[in-house]
PDB file of all heavy atoms in Angstrom:
ATOM      1  N   ALA A  49      -2.717 -11.705   6.631  1.00 92.00           N
ATOM      2  CA  ALA A  49      -4.017 -11.026   6.595  1.00 92.00           C
ATOM      3  C   ALA A  49      -5.031 -11.811   7.405  1.00 92.00           C
ATOM      4  O   ALA A  49      -4.880 -13.019   7.610  1.00 92.00           O
ATOM      5  CB  ALA A  49      -4.497 -10.865   5.152  1.00 92.00           C
ATOM      6  N   ILE A  50      -6.084 -11.105   7.833  1.00 92.00           N
ATOM      7  CA  ILE A  50      -7.113 -11.733   8.643  1.00 92.00           C
ATOM      8  C   ILE A  50      -8.475 -11.231   8.236  1.00 92.00           C
ATOM      9  O   ILE A  50      -8.617 -10.107   7.727  1.00 92.00           O
ATOM     10  CB  ILE A  50      -6.866 -11.468  10.155  1.00 92.00           C
ATOM     11  CG1 ILE A  50      -7.660 -12.439  11.036  1.00 92.00           C
ATOM     12  CG2 ILE A  50      -7.188 -10.015  10.514  1.00 92.00           C
ATOM     13  CD1 ILE A  50      -7.248 -12.395  12.503  1.00 92.00           C
ATOM     14  N   ARG A  51      -9.490 -12.069   8.423  1.00 89.00           N
ATOM     15  CA  ARG A  51     -10.891 -11.681   8.229  1.00 89.00           C
ATOM     16  C   ARG A  51     -11.526 -11.533   9.609  1.00 89.00           C
ATOM     17  O   ARG A  51     -11.082 -12.156  10.564  1.00 89.00           O
ATOM     18  CB  ARG A  51     -11.626 -12.749   7.441  1.00 89.00           C
ATOM     19  CG  ARG A  51     -11.003 -13.046   6.118  1.00 89.00           C
ATOM     20  CD  ARG A  51     -11.837 -12.580   4.966  1.00 89.00           C
ATOM     21  NE  ARG A  51     -11.541 -13.400   3.803  1.00 89.00           N
ATOM     22  CZ  ARG A  51     -12.315 -14.411   3.432  1.00 89.00           C
ATOM     23  NH1 ARG A  51     -13.406 -14.694   4.104  1.00 89.00           N
ATOM     24  NH2 ARG A  51     -11.990 -15.112   2.391  1.00 89.00           N
ATOM     25  N   PRO A  52     -12.621 -10.786   9.736  1.00 87.00           N
ATOM     26  CA  PRO A  52     -13.215 -10.540  11.053  1.00 87.00           C
ATOM     27  C   PRO A  52     -13.930 -11.738  11.667  1.00 87.00           C
ATOM     28  O   PRO A  52     -14.399 -11.644  12.806  1.00 87.00           O
ATOM     29  CB  PRO A  52     -14.197  -9.391  10.785  1.00 87.00           C
ATOM     30  CG  PRO A  52     -14.484  -9.457   9.333  1.00 87.00           C
ATOM     31  CD  PRO A  52     -13.255  -9.979   8.676  1.00 87.00           C
ATOM     32  N   ASP A  53     -13.985 -12.867  10.963  1.00 89.00           N
ATOM     33  CA  ASP A  53     -14.668 -14.028  11.543  1.00 89.00           C
ATOM     34  C   ASP A  53     -13.746 -14.841  12.455  1.00 89.00           C
ATOM     35  O   ASP A  53     -14.197 -15.801  13.084  1.00 89.00           O
ATOM     36  CB  ASP A  53     -15.251 -14.912  10.437  1.00 89.00           C
ATOM     37  CG  ASP A  53     -14.223 -15.298   9.394  1.00 89.00           C
ATOM     38  OD1 ASP A  53     -13.157 -14.660   9.339  1.00 89.00           O
ATOM     39  OD2 ASP A  53     -14.488 -16.238   8.622  1.00 89.00           O
ATOM     40  N   VAL A  54     -12.474 -14.465  12.548  1.00 91.00           N
ATOM     41  CA  VAL A  54     -11.556 -15.115  13.481  1.00 91.00           C
ATOM     42  C   VAL A  54     -10.873 -14.046  14.322  1.00 91.00           C
ATOM     43  O   VAL A  54     -10.762 -12.892  13.917  1.00 91.00           O
ATOM     44  CB  VAL A  54     -10.489 -15.964  12.750  1.00 91.00           C
ATOM     45  CG1 VAL A  54     -11.145 -17.103  11.991  1.00 91.00           C
ATOM     46  CG2 VAL A  54      -9.663 -15.097  11.810  1.00 91.00           C
ATOM     47  N   SER A  55     -10.416 -14.441  15.508  1.00 94.00           N
ATOM     48  CA  SER A  55      -9.801 -13.466  16.413  1.00 94.00           C
ATOM     49  C   SER A  55      -8.277 -13.500  16.354  1.00 94.00           C
ATOM     50  O   SER A  55      -7.626 -12.597  16.861  1.00 94.00           O
ATOM     51  CB  SER A  55     -10.253 -13.736  17.847  1.00 94.00           C
ATOM     52  OG  SER A  55      -9.862 -15.041  18.253  1.00 94.00           O
ATOM     53  N   GLU A  56      -7.731 -14.516  15.723  1.00 96.00           N
ATOM     54  CA  GLU A  56      -6.280 -14.603  15.649  1.00 96.00           C
ATOM     55  C   GLU A  56      -5.868 -15.443  14.446  1.00 96.00           C
ATOM     56  O   GLU A  56      -6.520 -16.417  14.090  1.00 96.00           O
ATOM     57  CB  GLU A  56      -5.734 -15.235  16.936  1.00 96.00           C
ATOM     58  CG  GLU A  56      -4.220 -15.272  17.036  1.00 96.00           C
ATOM     59  CD  GLU A  56      -3.733 -15.793  18.373  1.00 96.00           C
ATOM     60  OE1 GLU A  56      -3.784 -15.032  19.359  1.00 96.00           O
ATOM     61  OE2 GLU A  56      -3.318 -16.960  18.422  1.00 96.00           O
ATOM     62  N   LYS A  57      -4.743 -15.040  13.860  1.00 96.00           N
ATOM     63  CA  LYS A  57      -4.180 -15.820  12.764  1.00 96.00           C
ATOM     64  C   LYS A  57      -2.671 -15.814  12.923  1.00 96.00           C
ATOM     65  O   LYS A  57      -2.076 -14.752  13.138  1.00 96.00           O
ATOM     66  CB  LYS A  57      -4.571 -15.254  11.410  1.00 96.00           C
ATOM     67  CG  LYS A  57      -4.045 -16.081  10.237  1.00 96.00           C
ATOM     68  CD  LYS A  57      -4.605 -15.572   8.930  1.00 96.00           C
ATOM     69  CE  LYS A  57      -4.123 -16.431   7.766  1.00 96.00           C
ATOM     70  NZ  LYS A  57      -4.663 -15.963   6.471  1.00 96.00           N
ATOM     71  N   LYS A  58      -2.080 -16.980  12.805  1.00 97.00           N
ATOM     72  CA  LYS A  58      -0.643 -17.098  13.017  1.00 97.00           C
ATOM     73  C   LYS A  58       0.018 -17.715  11.810  1.00 97.00           C
ATOM     74  O   LYS A  58      -0.461 -18.709  11.262  1.00 97.00           O
ATOM     75  CB  LYS A  58      -0.374 -17.963  14.247  1.00 97.00           C
ATOM     76  CG  LYS A  58       1.073 -18.092  14.633  1.00 97.00           C
ATOM     77  CD  LYS A  58       1.234 -18.892  15.919  1.00 97.00           C
ATOM     78  CE  LYS A  58       2.698 -18.998  16.331  1.00 97.00           C
ATOM     79  NZ  LYS A  58       2.838 -19.771  17.599  1.00 97.00           N
ATOM     80  N   GLU A  59       1.125 -17.118  11.395  1.00 96.00           N
ATOM     81  CA  GLU A  59       1.941 -17.668  10.316  1.00 96.00           C
ATOM     82  C   GLU A  59       3.400 -17.539  10.729  1.00 96.00           C
ATOM     83  O   GLU A  59       3.971 -16.455  10.694  1.00 96.00           O
ATOM     84  CB  GLU A  59       1.685 -16.954   8.988  1.00 96.00           C
ATOM     85  CG  GLU A  59       0.317 -17.228   8.405  1.00 96.00           C
ATOM     86  CD  GLU A  59       0.096 -16.587   7.038  1.00 96.00           C
ATOM     87  OE1 GLU A  59       1.028 -15.951   6.513  1.00 96.00           O
ATOM     88  OE2 GLU A  59      -1.026 -16.721   6.506  1.00 96.00           O
ATOM     89  N   GLY A  60       3.957 -18.646  11.156  1.00 97.00           N
ATOM     90  CA  GLY A  60       5.335 -18.626  11.620  1.00 97.00           C
ATOM     91  C   GLY A  60       5.486 -17.745  12.840  1.00 97.00           C
ATOM     92  O   GLY A  60       4.770 -17.894  13.831  1.00 97.00           O
ATOM     93  N   ARG A  61       6.386 -16.773  12.758  1.00 97.00           N
ATOM     94  CA  ARG A  61       6.608 -15.879  13.898  1.00 97.00           C
ATOM     95  C   ARG A  61       5.634 -14.701  13.921  1.00 97.00           C
ATOM     96  O   ARG A  61       5.680 -13.880  14.826  1.00 97.00           O
ATOM     97  CB  ARG A  61       8.049 -15.349  13.844  1.00 97.00           C
ATOM     98  CG  ARG A  61       9.109 -16.447  14.018  1.00 97.00           C
ATOM     99  CD  ARG A  61      10.524 -15.871  14.056  1.00 97.00           C
ATOM    100  NE  ARG A  61      10.928 -15.251  12.796  1.00 97.00           N
ATOM    101  CZ  ARG A  61      11.056 -13.944  12.622  1.00 97.00           C
ATOM    102  NH1 ARG A  61      10.812 -13.089  13.603  1.00 97.00           N
ATOM    103  NH2 ARG A  61      11.452 -13.478  11.436  1.00 97.00           N
ATOM    104  N   PHE A  62       4.793 -14.599  12.917  1.00 98.00           N
ATOM    105  CA  PHE A  62       3.889 -13.460  12.788  1.00 98.00           C
ATOM    106  C   PHE A  62       2.460 -13.852  13.169  1.00 98.00           C
ATOM    107  O   PHE A  62       1.943 -14.862  12.705  1.00 98.00           O
ATOM    108  CB  PHE A  62       3.905 -12.928  11.352  1.00 98.00           C
ATOM    109  CG  PHE A  62       5.277 -12.485  10.904  1.00 98.00           C
ATOM    110  CD1 PHE A  62       6.131 -13.360  10.264  1.00 98.00           C
ATOM    111  CD2 PHE A  62       5.700 -11.187  11.128  1.00 98.00           C
ATOM    112  CE1 PHE A  62       7.404 -12.952   9.855  1.00 98.00           C
ATOM    113  CE2 PHE A  62       6.963 -10.766  10.726  1.00 98.00           C
ATOM    114  CZ  PHE A  62       7.816 -11.653  10.095  1.00 98.00           C
ATOM    115  N   THR A  63       1.847 -13.029  14.014  1.00 97.00           N
ATOM    116  CA  THR A  63       0.484 -13.273  14.464  1.00 97.00           C
ATOM    117  C   THR A  63      -0.320 -11.991  14.376  1.00 97.00           C
ATOM    118  O   THR A  63       0.158 -10.924  14.774  1.00 97.00           O
ATOM    119  CB  THR A  63       0.450 -13.778  15.923  1.00 97.00           C
ATOM    120  OG1 THR A  63       1.189 -15.012  16.017  1.00 97.00           O
ATOM    121  CG2 THR A  63      -0.979 -14.015  16.388  1.00 97.00           C
ATOM    122  N   ILE A  64      -1.539 -12.109  13.835  1.00 96.00           N
ATOM    123  CA  ILE A  64      -2.487 -10.993  13.894  1.00 96.00           C
ATOM    124  C   ILE A  64      -3.510 -11.326  14.971  1.00 96.00           C
ATOM    125  O   ILE A  64      -4.097 -12.418  14.969  1.00 96.00           O
ATOM    126  CB  ILE A  64      -3.236 -10.788  12.565  1.00 96.00           C
ATOM    127  CG1 ILE A  64      -2.296 -10.473  11.421  1.00 96.00           C
ATOM    128  CG2 ILE A  64      -4.238  -9.635  12.717  1.00 96.00           C
ATOM    129  CD1 ILE A  64      -3.024 -10.286  10.091  1.00 96.00           C
ATOM    130  N   SER A  65      -3.752 -10.356  15.845  1.00 96.00           N
ATOM    131  CA  SER A  65      -4.840 -10.459  16.816  1.00 96.00           C
ATOM    132  C   SER A  65      -5.906  -9.458  16.420  1.00 96.00           C
ATOM    133  O   SER A  65      -5.591  -8.311  16.088  1.00 96.00           O
ATOM    134  CB  SER A  65      -4.328 -10.147  18.224  1.00 96.00           C
ATOM    135  OG  SER A  65      -3.372 -11.105  18.622  1.00 96.00           O
ATOM    136  N   PHE A  66      -7.171  -9.890  16.456  1.00 95.00           N
ATOM    137  CA  PHE A  66      -8.263  -9.047  15.966  1.00 95.00           C
ATOM    138  C   PHE A  66      -9.342  -8.935  17.021  1.00 95.00           C
ATOM    139  O   PHE A  66      -9.798  -9.944  17.570  1.00 95.00           O
ATOM    140  CB  PHE A  66      -8.816  -9.647  14.675  1.00 95.00           C
ATOM    141  CG  PHE A  66      -9.872  -8.805  14.027  1.00 95.00           C
ATOM    142  CD1 PHE A  66      -9.531  -7.722  13.244  1.00 95.00           C
ATOM    143  CD2 PHE A  66     -11.218  -9.091  14.201  1.00 95.00           C
ATOM    144  CE1 PHE A  66     -10.500  -6.934  12.643  1.00 95.00           C
ATOM    145  CE2 PHE A  66     -12.190  -8.308  13.609  1.00 95.00           C
ATOM    146  CZ  PHE A  66     -11.830  -7.221  12.823  1.00 95.00           C
ATOM    147  N   ASN A  67      -9.751  -7.703  17.326  1.00 94.00           N
ATOM    148  CA  ASN A  67     -10.823  -7.451  18.293  1.00 94.00           C
ATOM    149  C   ASN A  67     -11.920  -6.658  17.591  1.00 94.00           C
ATOM    150  O   ASN A  67     -11.818  -5.443  17.437  1.00 94.00           O
ATOM    151  CB  ASN A  67     -10.269  -6.676  19.493  1.00 94.00           C
ATOM    152  CG  ASN A  67     -11.297  -6.502  20.599  1.00 94.00           C
ATOM    153  OD1 ASN A  67     -12.502  -6.418  20.343  1.00 94.00           O
ATOM    154  ND2 ASN A  67     -10.838  -6.443  21.828  1.00 94.00           N
ATOM    155  N   LYS A  68     -12.949  -7.379  17.164  1.00 93.00           N
ATOM    156  CA  LYS A  68     -13.990  -6.751  16.359  1.00 93.00           C
ATOM    157  C   LYS A  68     -14.768  -5.703  17.156  1.00 93.00           C
ATOM    158  O   LYS A  68     -15.078  -4.627  16.632  1.00 93.00           O
ATOM    159  CB  LYS A  68     -14.953  -7.814  15.825  1.00 93.00           C
ATOM    160  CG  LYS A  68     -15.962  -7.296  14.829  1.00 93.00           C
ATOM    161  CD  LYS A  68     -16.766  -8.436  14.245  1.00 93.00           C
ATOM    162  CE  LYS A  68     -17.767  -7.936  13.216  1.00 93.00           C
ATOM    163  NZ  LYS A  68     -18.537  -9.052  12.594  1.00 93.00           N
ATOM    164  N   SER A  69     -15.079  -5.983  18.397  1.00 93.00           N
ATOM    165  CA  SER A  69     -15.883  -5.056  19.199  1.00 93.00           C
ATOM    166  C   SER A  69     -15.135  -3.749  19.444  1.00 93.00           C
ATOM    167  O   SER A  69     -15.726  -2.672  19.486  1.00 93.00           O
ATOM    168  CB  SER A  69     -16.288  -5.691  20.525  1.00 93.00           C
ATOM    169  OG  SER A  69     -15.144  -6.041  21.291  1.00 93.00           O
ATOM    170  N   ALA A  70     -13.822  -3.850  19.613  1.00 95.00           N
ATOM    171  CA  ALA A  70     -13.013  -2.654  19.839  1.00 95.00           C
ATOM    172  C   ALA A  70     -12.558  -2.011  18.547  1.00 95.00           C
ATOM    173  O   ALA A  70     -11.971  -0.928  18.560  1.00 95.00           O
ATOM    174  CB  ALA A  70     -11.804  -3.002  20.701  1.00 95.00           C
ATOM    175  N   LYS A  71     -12.788  -2.686  17.433  1.00 95.00           N
ATOM    176  CA  LYS A  71     -12.339  -2.222  16.118  1.00 95.00           C
ATOM    177  C   LYS A  71     -10.826  -1.997  16.124  1.00 95.00           C
ATOM    178  O   LYS A  71     -10.333  -0.929  15.711  1.00 95.00           O
ATOM    179  CB  LYS A  71     -13.100  -0.972  15.692  1.00 95.00           C
ATOM    180  CG  LYS A  71     -14.583  -1.244  15.437  1.00 95.00           C
ATOM    181  CD  LYS A  71     -15.301  -0.044  14.840  1.00 95.00           C
ATOM    182  CE  LYS A  71     -15.501   1.025  15.872  1.00 95.00           C
ATOM    183  NZ  LYS A  71     -16.301   2.172  15.371  1.00 95.00           N
TER     184      LYS A  71
END
Side-chain angles (χ1 to χ4, degrees):
Chain A
I50 197 169
R51 303 249 207 99
D53 53 344
V54 297
S55 60
E56 185 175 283
K57 182 173 182 180
K58 184 176 181 179
E59 291 184 2
R61 295 184 295 108
F62 301 92
T63 300
I64 299 179
S65 296
F66 184 81
N67 186 329
K68 188 174 181 178
S69 60
K71 293 187 287 185

